[in-house]
């Protein structure tokens, strides 16, 4: 079993009668990189302060190597845990070298407490790691935001900590510096095996750089785990009360979060939000799914194989889907569920998906729903014949549906327009 | 793992050795301290020499025992003037000047406020009240040989600090901000009482006002001997916590992250600085300006590191006070001016000069 470095056990903290943390429990192993996310006032900074003995939890304990943090002296804690605070006071003109050397404070001893050659060497290494050596003689007050942040990180490294706590290290920085600081943290984590816990506002950076994320809301942990598990539409909605669009980063496949402006969601949905059931697969419906979601429409989907790109997109968006295991044909149960979802929907859309024996029942389900009076839109980006691998059965059903009134749309944009036209925003008024 | 590319690193001026410049700076500051010691000695020597009775340099050196010589050839009156009047006065002025400058430096760092001076938490108001009460009620007693005015002033000064401290305390934590506000409130209140007393002081008005303006008129070796232990104690506390003062400048929270027991450090520094201020005020009255401007002037030249700032401020403060006192008793001799008048008259313009020219004085920082 891996060693537990920091054991946070049921900590509760209130500022007067205002609760900030309520029963937080999690563990940190050596060399872990953890991002703490959550809306303003969710207790992120308070949590960080409880982890470095700045605040004493009213209930619960923080154990460092199995021993209560408050059984250590301030100095002993400072030798093992370093903090990069959110605000740094730099009114007085200390030079970078002087500020970094201050990080040696917890290691100095004796009456005079003079820095030894080793103290200088450690400070020097900290400056090399953070690329601040060339700034050594500059007054800290003359540095740019990004440089200053690196100097503060150098000071923290000079403490030779096992754990580095950072409170929004990138919040005041432009994107270049943000990336620079996070790259640096990853580098320090790998090179020095320092455990890093950082409060961060940017969900994209959290998803991109951290393998473990703690989502806080109202002083409680909503979820802990890898970003794919924690940063999901329903959990973000629960924590932030905000709609987000989750996609995959095109380059590295990591999560990509786009907050949806409340106003545009309302405007685009125009008051009435139709429920659209999407039939797709293999990525054919992902773009449409996202576009409809952004408009604020309620989207359902089925039947999709798990692991499929459309399924992945649906999961990210947190929509209701009928799902089956990979490479398995649609069974009776899934077919029935699909029909149920269609019945609840205002209309259905068929993406330009290829058909084989495995997913042919999706087409039958649509035909049945169409017969039951459900408006069906067929996205016809490529001719059905070219995507028919059923020996003509799919083409036949497809044609039949057109004959029975299914609406053919040539592109995603025209599909969206057609649905919008069919369900005008002011429809809510006439209801 | 490749080290991440940092913007602007490539354009830096080569890989300097980080602490060579720092060491050089520290040597320059040590040199500055040596110069200040010499300056203080010279100033003290001049101060001892000047006055209504002038003493030739050769005789002065002989009296002080610097140069061997037969004491019998010297005028015993001159000898007494030098040894029993001027020398203790100069020493006391130096102690008071050093105390105020160190206390000022400590309070400025503790409060992270450039306007802080030794009197910021009401020490001077308390001492004034104690002294005024002693003079107006003509309380006459001797405590360890010291008169009632300094004893009551000292007691009232420390009492005031204690009161302000208790007012600012919640649980075991003392908020620096509340301390500052409580100090101002209590100080104003006590000053108002002093003003009220002065208003009804009648024929003792001159004595009270003169004391309030500050001076070393009654100085003797007894004063020096009585003040010395408190001076040593207060100086020791501040000197020992000079490093913590540097860290406290970064903010209490950051100091804590770097391993400083913040509340303990604050308590000790407050005690040390208050002790120094109370000793200074009770022996010589309220002398303004030294405690405010000396630390600033020294900081502009020697930088913000308190391990140098504290001793350098002490030496500069001592020199300034000795010089100011010498001026106070010679400029309009035989009339003696309040020394606080001199410190303000000379200190103000000097400080403004330093303020305007600090860029030219980058030699040390």
């Amino acid at each position: 079993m891996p060693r537990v470095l920091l054991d946070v056990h049921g900590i509760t903290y209130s500022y007067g009668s205002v609760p900030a943390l309520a029963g937080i429990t999690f563990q940190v192993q050596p060399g872990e990189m953890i991002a703490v996310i959550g809306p303003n006032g969710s207790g992120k900074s308070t949590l960080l302060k409880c982890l470095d003995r700045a605040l004493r939890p009213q209930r619960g304990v923080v154990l460092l190597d199995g021993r209560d943090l408050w059984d250590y002296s301030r100095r002993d804690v400072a030798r093992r845990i370093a903090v990069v605070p959110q605000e740094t006071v730099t009114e007085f003109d200390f030079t970078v070298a002087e500020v970094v050397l201050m990080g040696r404070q917890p290691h100095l001893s004796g009456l005079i407490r003079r820095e030894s050659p080793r103290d200088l060497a450690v400070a020097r290494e900290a400056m090399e790691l953070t690329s601040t050596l060339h700034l050594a003689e500059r007054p800290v007050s003359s540095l740019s935001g990004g440089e200053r942040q690196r100097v503060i990180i150098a000071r923290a490294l000079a403490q030779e900590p096992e754990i580095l706590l950072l409170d929004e290290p990138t919040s005041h920085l432009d994107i270049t510096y943000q990336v620079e600081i996070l790259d640096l943290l990853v580098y320090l984590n790998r090179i020095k095996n320092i455990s890093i816990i950082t409060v961060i506002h940017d969900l994209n950076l959290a998803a991109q750089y951290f393998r473990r994320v703690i989502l806080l809301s109202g002083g409680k942990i909503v979820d802990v785990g890898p970003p794919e598990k924690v940063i999901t539409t329903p959990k973000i909605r629960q924590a932030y009360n905000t709609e987000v669009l989750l996609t995959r980063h095109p380059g590295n496949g990591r999560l990509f979060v786009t907050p949806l402006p409340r106003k545009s969601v309302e405007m685009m949905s125009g008051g009435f939000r139709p429920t659209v059931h999407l039939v797709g697969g293999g990525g054919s419906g992902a773009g449409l799914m996202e576009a409809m979601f952004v408009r604020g429409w309620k989207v359902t989907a089925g039947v999709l194989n798990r692991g499929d790109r459309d399924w992945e997109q649906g999961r990210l968006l947190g929509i209701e889907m009928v799902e089956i295991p990979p490479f398995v044909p649609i069974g009776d149960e899934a077919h029935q569920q699909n029909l149920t979802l269609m019945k609840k929907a205002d209309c259905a859309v068929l993406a330009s998906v290829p058909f084989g024996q495995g997913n042919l029942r999706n087409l039958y389900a649509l035909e049945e729903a169409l017969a039951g009076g459900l408006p069906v839109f067929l996205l016809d980006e490529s001719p059905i014949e070219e995507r028919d691998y059923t020996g003509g059965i799919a083409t036949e059903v497809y044609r039949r549906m057109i004959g029975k009134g299914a609406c053919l749309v040539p592109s995603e944009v025209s599909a969206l327009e057609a649905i919008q036209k069919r369900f005008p925003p002011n429809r809510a008024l006439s209801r | 793992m490749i080290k991440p590319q940092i913007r602007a690193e490539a354009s830096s001026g080569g890989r300097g050795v980080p602490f060579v410049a720092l060491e050089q700076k520290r040597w320059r500051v040590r040199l500055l301290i040596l110069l200040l010691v010499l300056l203080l000695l010279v100033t003290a020597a001049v101060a001892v020499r000047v006055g209504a009775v002038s003493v030739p340099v050769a005789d002065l050196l002989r009296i002080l025992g610097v140069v061997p010589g037969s004491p019998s050839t010297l005028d015993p009156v001159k000898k007494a003037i030098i040894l029993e009047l001027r020398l203790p006065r100069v020493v006391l002025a130096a102690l008071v000047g050093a105390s105020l400058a160190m206390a000022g430096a400590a309070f400025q760092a503790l409060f992270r406020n450039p306007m802080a001076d030794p009197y910021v938490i009401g020490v001077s108001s308390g001492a004034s009240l104690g002294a005024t009460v002693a003079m107006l009620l003509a309380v006459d007693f001797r405590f360890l040989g010291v008169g009632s005015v300094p004893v009551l002033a000292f007691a009232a000064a420390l009492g005031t600090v204690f009161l302000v401290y208790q007012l600012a305390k919640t649980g075991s934590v003392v908020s620096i901000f509340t301390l500052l506000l409580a100090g101002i409130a209590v100080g104003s209140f006590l000053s108002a009482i002093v003003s009220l007393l002065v208003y009804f002081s009648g024929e003792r008005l001159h004595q009270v006002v003169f004391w309030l303006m500050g001076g070393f008129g009654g100085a003797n070796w007894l004063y020096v001997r009585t003040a010395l232990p408190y001076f040593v104690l207060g100086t020791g506390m501040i000197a020992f916590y000079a490093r913590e003062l540097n860290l406290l400048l970064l903010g209490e929270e950051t100091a804590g992250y770097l391993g400083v027991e913040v509340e303990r450090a604050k308590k000790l520094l407050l005690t040390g600085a208050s002790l120094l201020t109370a000793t200074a005020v009770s022996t010589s009255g309220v002398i303004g300006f030294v405690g405010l401007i000396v630390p600033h002037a020294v900081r502009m030249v020697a930088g913000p590191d308190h391990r140098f700032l504290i001793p350098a401020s002490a030496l500069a403060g001592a020199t300034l006070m000795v010089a100011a006192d010498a001026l106070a008793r010679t400029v309009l001799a035989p009339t003696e001016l309040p020394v606080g008048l001199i410190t303000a008259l000379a200190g103000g313009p000097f400080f403004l000069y330093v303020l305007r020219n600090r860029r030219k004085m980058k030699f040390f920082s």
Side-chain angles (χ1 to χ4, degrees), chain A residues 52 74 113 128 134 177, chain B residues 3 7 240 243-244 256-257:
Chain A
D52 192 58
R74 236 251 129 296
R113 294 180 291 172
E128 274 171 0
H134 63 288
Y177 282 138
Chain B
K3 191 181 170 191
R7 179 164 64 176
F240 188 73
R243 202 177 246 288
E244 276 75 5
Y257 292 144

Side-chain angles (χ1 to χ4, degrees), chain A residues 229-257:
Chain A
K229 175 172 169 268
V230 176
I231 304 178
T232 63
T233 313
K235 282 171 190 165
I236 296 297
R237 186 184 301 131
Q238 181 193 341
Y240 290 86
N241 192 25
T242 295
E243 294 296 329
V244 292
L245 173 67
L246 292 177
T247 45
R248 286 286 179 187
H249 189 281
N252 58 18
R254 297 243 170 122
L255 273 181
F256 201 74
V257 187

Side-chain angles (χ1 to χ4, degrees), chain B residues 237-261:
Chain B
M237 283 171 161
I238 292 180
F240 188 73
Y241 273 87
R243 202 177 246 288
E244 276 75 5
L245 276 176
N246 286 347
L247 294 161
L248 284 170
L249 274 186
L250 307 179
E252 285 181 27
E253 206 176 273
T254 300
Y257 292 144
L258 291 168
V260 177
E261 296 281 358

Side-chain angles (χ1 to χ4, degrees), chain A residues 6-29:
Chain A
L6 206 60
D7 190 353
V8 182
H9 199 87
I11 59 169
T12 297
Y13 190 90
S14 308
Y15 296 98
S17 62
V18 186
L21 291 178
I24 301 286
T25 299
F26 67 96
Q27 287 166 351
V28 183
Q29 283 155 17

Side-chain angles (χ1 to χ4, degrees), chain A residues 1-239:
Chain A
M1 207 182 124
R3 182 165 82 105
V4 175
L5 186 57
L6 206 60
D7 190 353
V8 182
H9 199 87
I11 59 169
T12 297
Y13 190 90
S14 308
Y15 296 98
S17 62
V18 186
L21 291 178
I24 301 286
T25 299
F26 67 96
Q27 287 166 351
V28 183
Q29 283 155 17
E32 264 198 289
M33 267 188 91
I34 302 176
V36 182
I37 58 172
N40 290 330
S42 59
K44 303 187 299 290
S45 296
T46 309
L47 174 62
L48 220 55
K49 282 177 184 172
C50 285
L51 299 188
D52 192 58
R53 212 181 171 283
L55 293 178
R56 184 166 199 168
Q58 281 115 2
R59 257 184 290 152
V61 282
V62 179
L63 302 176
L64 175 61
D65 265 338
R67 201 173 136 207
D68 189 346
L69 207 57
W70 284 82
D71 288 343
Y72 291 85
S73 70
R74 236 251 129 296
R75 196 169 112 106
D76 286 341
V77 172
R79 286 170 177 217
R80 307 191 56 181
I81 305 177
V83 179
V84 176
Q86 197 173 358
E87 295 290 325
T88 308
V89 187
T90 47
E91 287 157 35
F92 287 87
D93 276 359
F94 286 112
T95 63
V96 168
E98 283 173 310
V99 167
V100 175
L101 266 180
M102 285 180 189
R104 296 304 296 162
Q105 172 80 7
H107 294 273
L108 300 176
S109 55
L111 199 64
I112 314 238
R113 294 180 291 172
R114 207 183 137 75
E115 293 103 354
S116 69
R118 190 183 122 69
D119 291 319
L120 296 182
V122 171
R124 191 200 152 95
E125 196 203 347
M127 289 163 80
E128 274 171 0
L129 286 170
T130 52
S131 304
T132 50
L133 205 53
H134 63 288
L135 304 171
E137 293 160 43
R138 293 259 303 274
V140 177
S141 54
S142 75
L143 302 180
S144 71
E147 289 170 334
R148 195 173 308 165
Q149 196 64 283
R150 292 204 319 264
V151 169
I152 302 306
I153 293 173
R155 185 185 70 200
L157 288 179
Q159 291 173 249
E160 295 183 283
E162 292 163 63
I163 303 171
L164 187 59
L165 305 176
L166 303 100
D167 197 353
E168 290 176 31
T170 57
S171 57
H172 304 302
L173 306 178
D174 71 37
I175 46 170
T176 314
Y177 282 138
Q178 288 183 356
V179 169
E180 201 174 282
I181 294 295
L182 286 163
D183 282 347
L184 175 63
L185 293 183
V186 172
Y187 175 70
L188 296 173
N189 174 256
R190 302 267 166 87
I191 291 291
K192 294 256 160 196
N193 200 37
I194 300 174
S195 305
I196 289 173
I197 304 173
T198 175
V199 167
I200 193 161
H201 260 315
D202 193 315
L203 299 178
N204 284 316
L205 292 175
Q208 196 142 344
Y209 281 94
F210 297 84
R211 301 308 336 124
R212 202 167 164 218
V213 174
I214 298 175
L215 174 60
L216 286 183
S217 177
K220 293 191 178 109
I221 292 183
V222 176
D223 203 4
V224 195
E228 289 75 17
K229 175 172 169 268
V230 176
I231 304 178
T232 63
T233 313
K235 282 171 190 165
I236 296 297
R237 186 184 301 131
Q238 181 193 341

Side-chain angles (χ1 to χ4, degrees), chain B residues 15-330:
Chain B
R15 302 178 76 79
V17 186
F19 303 111
V20 169
L22 185 61
E23 256 324 290
Q24 284 168 354
K25 179 174 144 191
R26 286 179 178 178
W27 276 112
R28 281 199 299 269
V29 177
R30 283 181 195 120
L31 187 70
L32 173 72
I33 287 178
L34 193 68
L35 287 174
L36 285 172
V37 171
L38 291 175
L39 186 65
L40 174 60
L41 290 177
V42 170
T43 311
V46 172
V48 170
R49 210 173 88 80
V50 298
V53 177
S54 118
V55 186
V57 177
D59 283 359
L60 179 70
L61 292 176
R62 237 168 266 148
I63 293 170
L64 294 176
V66 180
V67 174
S70 165
S72 58
T73 60
L74 296 166
D75 182 351
V77 177
K78 277 190 181 175
K79 198 177 156 188
I81 288 174
I82 298 294
L83 283 181
E84 299 304 323
L85 289 178
R86 290 201 191 148
L87 197 56
R89 187 171 174 147
V90 164
V91 172
L92 194 67
L95 288 186
V96 166
S99 296
L100 292 178
M102 285 190 286
F107 278 128
Q108 280 164 12
L110 264 179
F111 290 108
R112 286 187 293 286
N113 187 335
M115 292 310 290
D117 72 357
Y119 310 131
V120 71
I121 52 170
V123 182
S124 58
S125 313
S128 302
L129 184 63
T132 311
V133 165
M135 285 182 269
L136 292 187
L137 301 182
V139 184
D140 199 14
F141 63 81
R142 297 208 154 250
F143 181 75
L144 299 171
V146 183
S148 56
V149 171
V151 169
L152 276 186
F154 187 73
L158 289 189
T160 308
V161 173
F162 186 73
L163 175 71
V164 170
Y165 185 80
Q166 291 301 325
L167 285 173
K169 197 163 136 179
T170 39
S172 63
V173 179
V174 176
S175 152
I176 282 296
F177 188 64
T178 318
L179 198 66
L180 197 63
L181 292 180
I184 290 169
V186 170
S188 306
F189 179 74
L190 296 182
S191 294
I193 295 181
V194 170
S195 300
L196 197 69
L197 290 174
V198 169
Y199 189 76
F200 293 110
S201 56
E203 79 258 30
R204 289 179 187 272
L205 178 69
H206 185 254
Q207 189 197 355
V208 173
V209 169
F210 202 86
W211 188 91
L212 289 179
M213 286 203 260
F216 297 95
N220 57 40
W221 285 116
L222 179 65
Y223 273 60
V224 173
R225 271 205 305 278
T226 316
L228 201 58
Y230 301 107
F231 175 77
V232 172
L233 193 63
T235 305
M237 283 171 161
I238 292 180
F240 188 73
Y241 273 87
R243 202 177 246 288
E244 276 75 5
L245 276 176
N246 286 347
L247 294 161
L248 284 170
L249 274 186
L250 307 179
E252 285 181 27
E253 206 176 273
T254 300
Y257 292 144
L258 291 168
V260 177
E261 296 281 358
V262 174
E263 289 307 317
R264 193 174 66 194
K266 264 181 353 195
K267 207 177 288 178
L268 272 158
L269 283 164
L270 277 174
T271 310
S274 301
L275 213 52
L276 286 177
T277 311
T279 310
V281 177
S282 55
T283 50
S284 59
V286 185
I287 301 170
F289 242 61
V290 175
L292 177 68
I293 63 158
V294 168
H296 278 302
V298 173
R299 195 179 288 118
M300 282 171 204
V301 184
D305 189 338
H306 284 79
R307 285 170 292 170
F308 300 110
L309 184 61
I310 295 293
S313 295
L315 290 166
T319 309
L320 183 64
M321 194 65 91
V322 169
D325 181 50
L327 282 175
R329 64 190 162 81
T330 51

